[in-house]
Structure formats: structure tokens, C-alpha cells
């Protein structure tokens, strides 16, 4: 059975302050001006799904001025939560 994103929640990840997306249908459109967080939403999904290597490859996952960033990706049967801290003690559940 193919996985699909039921819900994406992200806080303080890259340019995002907070986002909560629950796709309705097969197509989701991300739009906005430059530097509004569109790429950060896609990067959050990649960081949650691609594992530790992708997480370590992200130069600055925590939004400037914050101590913690969290991405929670609900895939229906699975929920992936990745957390980054300023002391580099991140976690994956």
C-alpha cells in the first residue's frame, strides 16, 4: 500500500515559524513570494523521510533565534517526528 501525507506539522524549521498542512486530494499547491517558506516545507518533508543523512546535510535546520525545530509527518500508518536542538542533540521517532 502506498504511503501518502495525511498531515505535515513543522515549527521553527528553516524559514517556517509554524505550518500545519492537511492535504485534501492528490494535488497540493505551494505558492507565495520569494523567501516565504515554500522550499522549507519541501525540505521538511525530505528531512523527515530521508533519514539521518538528510538531517545532517541541512546546514541550519533551526530558525534563527530559536532553540528547537520540529517536523511531524503523519503518513497514516506511520508518524515520523524529527526534532533538532541547538545543542545538536536531535532525535527521530
Amino acid at each position: 500500500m502506498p504511503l501518502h501525507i495525511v498531515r505535515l506539522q513543522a515549527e521553527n524549521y528553516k524559514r517556517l515559524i509554524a505550518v500545519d498542512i492537511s492535504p485534501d486530494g492528490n494535488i497540493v499547491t505551494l505558492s507565495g513570494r520569494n523567501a516565504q517558506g515554500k522550499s522549507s516545507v519541501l525540505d521538511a518533508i525530505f528531512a523527515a523521510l530521508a533519514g539521518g543523512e538528510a538531517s545532517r546535510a541541512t546546514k541550519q535546520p533551526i530558525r534563527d533565534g530559536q532553540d528547537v525545530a520540529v517536523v511531524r509527518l503523519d503518513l497514516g500508518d506511520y508518524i515520523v517526528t524529527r526534532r533538532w536542538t541547538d545543542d545538536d542533540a536531535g532525535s527521530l521517532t
Side-chain angles (χ1 to χ4, degrees):
M1 180 166 108
L3 298 175
H4 64 279
I5 296 173
V6 174
R7 186 174 186 188
L8 167 68
Q9 296 170 289
E11 293 180 31
N12 299 323
Y13 182 77
K14 295 181 87 172
R15 287 195 159 274
L16 303 174
I17 294 172
V19 68
D20 190 338
I21 300 171
S22 297
D24 183 23
N26 293 325
I27 298 175
V28 175
T29 302
L30 296 174
S31 64
R33 296 186 320 265
N34 289 344
Q36 297 297 302
K38 299 178 300 291
S39 294
S40 295
V41 168
L42 297 175
D43 289 346
I45 294 168
F46 177 70
L49 293 177
E53 191 64 36
S55 180
R56 288 185 292 277
T58 303
K59 294 286 184 219
Q60 188 176 352
I62 302 172
R63 183 177 170 81
D64 284 340
Q66 302 301 314
D67 298 326
V68 176
V70 179
V71 172
R72 182 176 184 270
L73 191 61
D74 183 342
L75 300 170
D77 292 337
Y78 303 98
I79 297 175
V80 178
T81 304
R82 185 168 293 278
R83 179 179 178 87
W84 295 264
T85 58
D86 63 353
D87 64 0
D88 208 26
S91 64
L92 171 68
T93 55

